[in-house]
Amino acid sequence: MSSPLAVEVRALSKTYEVHERPPGLAAALRSVFRRKYKTIHAVSDLSFTVEPGERVGFLGPNGAGKTTTLKMLAGLLHPTAGEARIAGYVPRRREAAFLKSITLVMGQKQQLLWDLPPADTFTMNRAIYEVSDADFAETLGELTELLDLGAIMKKPTRQLSLGERMKCELAAALLHRPQLLFLDEPTIGLDVAMQLTVREFIRQYNERRGATVLLTSHYMDDVASLCPRVVVIDQGRLRYDGDLPSLVRSIQPDKRVALRFSGSADREAVARAGTIVDFDAAHAVIQIPRVDLREAVGHLLGLSFVADLTIEDPPLEEVMRELFSASKPAEADADAGTQADSA
Amino acid sequence: MSARADLRRVVRAYPTLLRVGLAEAVAYRAEMLVWMLTTTMPLVSLALWSAVAETAPVGRFTQRGFAAYFLATLLVRQLTGSWLVWELNQEIRSGTLSRRLLRPIHPLITYSAQNLAAIPLRFAMTLPAAVVWLVVLEPGAFPRSPLALGAGLLAILGAWLINFFTMALIGSIAFYLESSTAIFDLWMVAFMLLSGYLVPLELFPAALRGVIHALPFRYVIAFPVEIFTGTLRGEAIVGELGIQWAYVLGAGAAAILAFRSGVKRFSAFGG
């Protein structure tokens, strides 16, 4: 028998009762005697599995239920219905062996002790997670090298920049060498260079340790570069589970061609290749159906004022916007991905 | 993983938790000093009761007797106080309790280490009061015998545990209500009146004393104070230690159950 799935989610649901009242004093007084509650279905009947060592991107608009799902998988929230198993453990039982095998990094929250240097948090985690001296020294050495922690470990956390803090957060979260990483917006607020550092670090950790990664991020570049597979949820329901290129193809079947001009460009000649998305004296972006791509590119390369040409997929943000604004589920390639509603 | 393994992990980790807790307490030393100034009510009581006892003793209390009693009260309060209710209430409401729940050690254990780690600093800050009490007011009163000292220390530990577990119990109400601090205020009113914090319990009418002895408040202040000031001796100490530790066990069980059942309702909003 092979090792258990890293993540196994079956018909998972979570509902909240939320107290609701209009603003104002009168409403506040009324609510003392008659409280109105609204039921929020944060996650509904969600099912998916993840194999050990996979890197999976968890996508969805704000309020889709991504963080709620991650919190249920980490054992912080108790599901209303359904079942989750992480490497065979039931998360809500929060057994010590389970908690030692996972980590949850939330980009907007911190586990570092605010007024003490990160080194103190590392020491505390070593004791709590029972990391041996040898493993601690080795892992910390590795993390220090990968994340360049040397100088910042001994400064009080409150004096670190956001990027420095996030690097230390990652180190604190990984000192016990977890096999499953739940990363909720790990690059939020970081500059582009730091996003790249964090992204590369996550990839290296995954490859070096064979750890499973479940990642949510508003930065589509994080997901595109890190996650061969994406799970899309919207309003708590699964919308898509499969690889990213198939999702993009199904939602946005056109390609984008970016052109750079040398000399005066003829707009009409360019427009004959496809729909113009953007056009100025030096550049243009055209949208072209995939089936017409070969012919259109041939036409464009024949234009004397075209100096350079790049073929790209439409920006992922745009694809996602289109997916979530559509009233019905997307029609993804059946062989590459699974549409939740049709599965 | 067995309960024995869990216990072994706690025992191994606890010294580190205490060390880190002490480092945190030192980082917050100015805030702690201000907070300690807000718990100097026994000194106000001392001034009031000293004025009352100026012409004649009140019960067995002379001015000097009141001074010894209230300085001992101040010390016991500093050594046994717990502010967990504020922290727990805030962490449940803001969702930051999540970070504790993710660790393979019970959150009440980490809270307890943070609380205990601050005690050496609090003790150092109240050292002048202790010196006045021991050297000026009751020289030779402490320690009277190793047994009395042991009983006194056990009573201090029991008082801290009752406070800690009660604060954990009241703090856990925030899992159910929007805030638990109003309930804490109720506890504080009863504590002020019935623990011996503001008025020595001997000065209450005899008819009330039986009820007061049966309530938990006496065992967090008056009981240890009476051991250290020599009012309580021998068998009386043993009997009351039994009652105190019964409260420790009761409060501990209630706090653990309330926390465990509360965690099931935890929403972790924003956390």
Side-chain angles (χ1 to χ4, degrees):
Chain A
M1 177 100 184
S2 59
S3 60
L5 288 162
V7 178
E8 193 179 1
V9 173
R10 300 259 172 258
L12 200 67
S13 297
K14 180 71 186 175
T15 54
Y16 295 107
E17 292 279 306
V18 180
H19 171 48
E20 214 178 32
R21 73 163 173 81
L25 181 64
L29 288 174
R30 268 198 306 277
S31 79
V32 172
F33 302 101
R34 243 178 56 194
R35 288 171 83 83
K36 281 187 184 166
Y37 289 93
K38 188 178 171 190
T39 303
I40 305 285
H41 298 279
V43 176
S44 299
D45 200 24
L46 187 64
S47 300
F48 65 92
T49 58
V50 179
E51 295 286 339
E54 265 194 282
R55 293 192 305 263
V56 178
F58 220 42
L59 297 177
N62 285 335
K66 305 184 297 289
T67 302
T68 301
T69 305
L70 287 194
K71 284 177 177 172
M72 283 194 279
L73 298 184
L76 288 177
L77 296 181
H78 285 227
T80 312
E83 192 186 32
R85 279 185 185 273
I86 303 294
Y89 294 106
V90 177
R92 68 185 155 78
R93 292 190 192 139
R94 296 180 44 251
E95 292 164 76
F98 161 70
L99 293 171
K100 281 179 164 187
S101 71
I102 66 155
T103 200
L104 169 63
V105 176
M106 291 185 268
Q108 287 164 312
K109 294 283 163 186
Q110 58 159 29
Q111 67 152 317
L112 296 171
L113 299 164
W114 186 246
D115 284 295
L116 300 182
D120 281 326
T121 305
F122 300 162
T123 307
M124 188 176 77
N125 281 6
R126 171 175 66 165
I128 289 176
Y129 287 96
E130 294 179 296
V131 182
S132 71
D133 287 351
D135 285 352
F136 181 74
E138 187 193 326
T139 314
L140 189 58
E142 237 176 70
L143 294 169
T144 305
E145 186 195 323
L146 287 171
L147 291 167
D148 192 20
L149 299 179
I152 56 178
M153 264 195 307
K154 290 177 182 155
K155 281 201 275 180
T157 301
R158 64 168 189 275
Q159 291 176 1
L160 300 179
S161 70
L162 182 63
E164 289 173 334
R165 220 158 61 215
M166 184 41 75
K167 289 201 285 188
C168 293
E169 284 289 341
L170 277 170
L174 299 177
L175 268 174
H176 61 287
R177 298 183 182 172
Q179 274 304 295
L180 212 152
L181 276 56
F182 299 114
L183 306 174
D184 190 16
E185 305 283 355
T187 56
I188 200 159
L190 303 183
D191 63 35
V192 177
M194 194 58 72
Q195 281 178 32
L196 281 172
T197 305
V198 169
R199 213 179 281 158
E200 196 44 42
F201 171 73
I202 293 167
R203 185 201 307 283
Q204 286 193 28
Y205 185 87
N206 158 266
E207 286 168 359
R208 202 179 280 206
R209 301 261 173 233
T212 312
V213 176
L214 235 74
L215 167 88
T216 78
S217 181
H218 275 98
Y219 300 117
M220 291 299 164
D221 287 347
D222 283 351
V223 178
S225 69
L226 269 178
C227 304
R229 174 183 162 200
V230 292
V231 169
V232 180
I233 63 171
D234 188 15
Q235 296 178 340
R237 292 183 175 278
L238 186 68
R239 290 289 300 272
Y240 176 80
D241 183 351
D243 68 85
L244 198 54
S246 303
L247 177 67
V248 172
R249 268 203 306 279
S250 67
I251 304 298
Q252 183 57 275
D254 297 347
K255 280 277 192 184
R256 293 270 167 102
V257 175
L259 303 172
R260 192 167 57 80
F261 305 138
S262 61
S264 164
D266 177 353
R267 187 181 172 110
E268 273 184 28
V270 172
R272 278 199 286 277
T275 311
I276 293 180
V277 178
D278 194 17
F279 190 97
D280 62 34
H283 305 91
V285 177
I286 334 167
Q287 193 152 309
I288 302 167
R290 280 170 208 269
V291 288
D292 302 335
L293 195 61
R294 181 187 291 264
E295 193 184 327
V297 168
H299 164 71
L300 291 166
L301 287 174
L303 299 173
S304 59
F305 53 85
V306 171
D308 192 16
L309 178 151
T310 319
I311 303 170
E312 302 165 335
D313 276 320
L316 209 45
E317 280 81 0
E318 218 169 272
V319 175
M320 287 297 135
R321 203 163 44 238
E322 209 158 302
L323 171 65
F324 299 131
S325 64
S327 56
K328 59 178 187 178
E331 301 292 330
D333 285 1
D335 56 348
T338 309
Q339 272 312 136
D341 292 17
S342 59
Chain B
M1 201 165 282
S2 69
R4 187 182 284 182
D6 286 345
L7 185 65
R8 204 169 46 232
R9 188 172 50 258
V10 170
V11 170
R12 280 196 197 138
Y14 214 76
T16 307
L17 293 177
L18 286 175
R19 267 201 305 278
V20 173
L22 182 61
E24 265 193 303
V26 171
Y28 293 124
R29 60 198 177 279
E31 188 188 21
M32 184 178 293
L33 184 63
V34 173
W35 182 80
M36 283 173 66
L37 291 176
T38 68
T39 63
T40 49
M41 199 55 127
L43 298 180
V44 177
S45 289
L46 168 58
L48 290 174
W49 286 106
S50 289
V52 175
E54 196 174 359
T55 47
V58 180
R60 67 171 180 84
F61 287 95
T62 59
Q63 274 187 313
R64 202 183 174 90
F66 274 124
Y69 179 89
F70 283 114
L71 284 183
T73 299
L74 180 69
L75 286 171
V76 167
R77 181 67 181 145
Q78 292 303 337
L79 290 176
T80 62
S82 169
W83 56 96
L84 175 60
V85 68
W86 300 105
E87 204 168 358
L88 192 51
N89 185 63
Q90 189 269 333
E91 289 192 5
I92 292 170
R93 282 160 55 95
S94 66
T96 47
L97 181 68
S98 298
R99 67 179 181 185
R100 290 183 196 268
L101 290 171
L102 285 169
R103 294 179 185 144
I105 196 164
H106 198 290
L108 291 183
I109 302 281
T110 54
Y111 283 126
S112 76
Q114 271 177 297
N115 260 219
L116 283 177
I119 285 180
L121 203 66
R122 294 163 79 183
F123 185 73
M125 287 175 172
T126 46
L127 209 56
V131 169
V132 171
W133 173 48
L134 284 173
V135 178
V136 182
L137 295 168
E138 297 207 304
F142 176 90
R144 293 175 304 283
S145 71
L147 217 60
L149 177 62
L153 293 178
L154 203 58
I156 291 278
L157 177 64
W160 177 76
L161 284 168
I162 292 175
N163 272 329
F164 178 78
F165 285 135
T166 309
M167 294 304 99
L169 178 63
I170 296 173
S172 297
I173 292 169
F175 285 119
Y176 299 89
L177 302 179
E178 280 173 24
S179 171
S180 58
T181 49
I183 293 162
F184 169 71
D185 289 341
L186 279 179
W187 162 272
M188 276 309 282
V189 169
F191 164 82
M192 294 269 187
L193 290 174
L194 302 171
S195 68
Y197 191 57
L198 299 180
V199 182
L201 295 181
E202 295 167 64
L203 302 183
F204 275 82
L208 273 180
R209 268 185 250 153
V211 178
I212 290 171
H213 276 241
L215 292 172
F217 307 102
R218 167 178 169 72
Y219 301 95
V220 294
I221 292 286
F223 173 53
V225 165
E226 287 173 14
I227 296 176
F228 281 108
T229 53
T231 317
L232 216 56
R233 288 168 194 276
E235 279 180 18
I237 293 179
V238 178
E240 293 214 44
L241 265 180
I243 301 174
Q244 187 196 41
W245 279 81
Y247 270 120
V248 170
L249 294 177
I256 290 166
L257 287 176
F259 188 86
R260 186 183 298 165
S261 110
V263 164
K264 291 180 189 161
R265 294 174 53 96
F266 184 49
S267 309
F269 285 128

